[in-house]
Amino acid sequence: MPSPFARAGASLRSLLPDTYTMLLMATVVVASVLPCEGQAALVFGKITSFAIGLLFFLHGAKLSREAIVSGLANWRLHLLVLAATFVMFPLLGLAMKPLATSMLPSDLYLGILFLCTLPSTVQSSIAFTSVARGNVAAAVCSASASNFAGIFISPLLVSTLIVHGGGGSGGGSPLDAILGIVEQLLLPFLAGQFLRPWIGTWIDRHKPMLKIVDQGSILLVVYTAFSESVNEGLWHKLSLPTLAGLGVLCCLLLALALGLSTYASRRLGFSREDEITIVFCGSKKSLSSGIPMAKVMFAQGALGMVILPLMLFHQIQLMVCAVLAARWAQRKQPG
């Protein structure tokens, strides 16, 4: 039985930024001090596009069809997760408009709206569900379905929210955005799924490689996006009070999502294991899917401001969900 001091120490460690978050912060600093421009920016852009295609190819090759099929039976759970991800979050984003526009510039509020349209995370949703002893098979299915649906739903939601939410620069035609995402993300993913019978075993044995490609591609997008934004005066548009206000809004958004998803799962009579899955899959937003989508859907100069809320929300959700998972893991087993 861990001592109170050990439990307190573990809780404090869960609130510290992880290594990947520190790398993201370092990337923003490097882009602020040494932004790429001119020919170097073009080269970095081509490398980034290739890395993102490789990332989604490897995700397609990694995803087990058996795991998806095993979780499909719990259709009520999956519908609730999809509703939380693509209905609840956008409505919360619109409801926050009066507060957000009084605290933030238009491009940052657009970033909040964009964040609200994104699919759930895959790896961390499954990991937290497993730690908390939730329904892991359903988490695999829900998170995977959310990411696949997001390829088509997120561009449509972005277009709709920009019109009704009064966002700043962005989106363009939703059809063009969908076609761009299909070309850069979906086709490599489907190619990976098609080749999984031949390369799946090798991919499963080399998961650290997938992690390197996953994190490396996101760092490349962050570097190129912030380089372009820095060259256009990003840090002259932002102040410390603005960043603090963004942090408060991200915390408020996450608190509402966690509270509403928990309330809905209990009102609908789900088991505790299913509730855990619903809360973790329905309240989280994917950095690894969101940043590549933003690269396709938004002008390069606005990209840094648009993805900043997502980066901040990503770290907050990891810290809060780590604490929740640890507390759920300590509950008594039935019987």
Side-chain angles (χ1 to χ4, degrees):
M1 182 83 173
S3 68
F5 293 106
R7 290 196 298 270
S11 297
L12 287 175
R13 284 193 297 273
S14 69
L15 295 175
L16 295 175
D18 60 7
T19 302
Y20 184 43
T21 300
M22 298 299 292
L23 287 173
L24 282 170
M25 294 176 181
T27 301
V28 172
V29 172
V30 172
S32 300
V33 177
L34 296 171
C36 64
E37 51 188 331
Q39 190 62 36
L42 293 176
V43 173
F44 268 99
K46 292 183 182 298
I47 294 173
T48 300
S49 296
F50 173 79
I52 289 172
L54 177 60
L55 165 65
F56 277 79
F57 172 81
L58 293 174
H59 274 302
K62 183 187 74 169
L63 186 60
S64 167
R65 297 170 198 174
E66 294 77 12
I68 297 175
V69 171
S70 69
L72 282 175
N74 204 341
W75 59 270
R76 290 175 65 247
L77 181 149
H78 305 316
L79 285 179
L80 183 55
V81 169
L82 290 173
T85 303
F86 297 118
V87 179
M88 177 189 73
F89 261 103
L91 291 176
L92 289 175
L94 290 175
M96 292 175 67
K97 179 184 177 181
L99 180 60
T101 53
S102 68
M103 300 171 63
L104 305 176
S106 60
D107 281 348
L108 276 184
Y109 176 56
L110 176 60
I112 290 179
L113 291 178
F114 172 67
L115 157 69
C116 290
T117 71
L118 292 176
S120 178
T121 61
V122 177
Q123 292 96 329
S124 58
S125 291
I126 296 168
F128 285 135
T129 300
S130 177
V131 169
R133 304 203 311 269
N135 189 336
V136 176
V140 171
C141 184
S142 276
S144 302
S146 174
N147 270 253
F148 187 81
I151 291 175
F152 305 98
I153 296 175
S154 293
L156 295 173
L157 285 174
V158 168
S159 179
T160 302
L161 291 182
I162 288 173
V163 172
H164 292 93
S169 61
S173 164
L175 179 59
D176 290 341
I178 290 174
L179 291 176
I181 289 172
V182 166
E183 178 184 353
Q184 293 192 29
L185 309 184
L186 180 60
L187 290 181
F189 179 88
L190 293 177
Q193 270 284 288
F194 177 76
L195 293 175
R196 177 171 171 78
W198 295 279
I199 66 175
T201 302
W202 186 86
I203 293 292
D204 291 339
R205 288 202 310 264
H206 295 82
K207 287 185 178 179
M209 176 193 66
L210 178 59
K211 184 177 181 180
I212 292 172
V213 175
D214 190 342
Q215 297 184 352
S217 62
I218 300 305
L219 293 175
L220 279 171
V221 175
V222 169
Y223 176 69
T224 55
F226 272 87
S227 291
E228 181 70 22
S229 297
V230 167
N231 290 332
E232 297 195 7
L234 170 68
W235 298 121
H236 296 292
K237 303 175 185 177
L238 291 177
S239 63
L240 286 178
T242 299
L243 290 174
L246 178 60
V248 169
L249 290 175
C250 286
C251 290
L252 175 61
L253 181 61
L254 180 61
L256 290 171
L258 288 169
L260 289 173
S261 57
T262 301
Y263 174 79
S265 62
R266 292 180 181 176
R267 287 286 294 177
L268 293 172
F270 285 95
S271 67
R272 178 54 62 91
E273 288 73 21
D274 285 349
E275 176 190 325
I276 289 169
T277 301
I278 291 164
V279 169
F280 284 136
C281 293
S283 65
K284 297 167 91 266
K285 292 295 183 176
S286 174
L287 185 74
S288 60
S289 294
I291 288 183
M293 286 184 183
K295 185 177 183 294
V296 177
M297 287 191 279
F298 295 97
Q300 191 72 12
L303 195 54
M305 293 278 272
V306 170
I307 65 175
L308 189 58
L310 174 58
M311 293 171 60
L312 185 56
F313 187 86
H314 169 78
Q315 177 57 31
I316 294 170
Q317 74 182 8
L318 290 181
M319 293 189 298
V320 173
C321 289
V323 173
L324 288 177
R327 289 184 177 177
W328 264 321
Q330 293 172 5
R331 74 186 187 279
K332 293 182 178 180
Q333 292 279 20

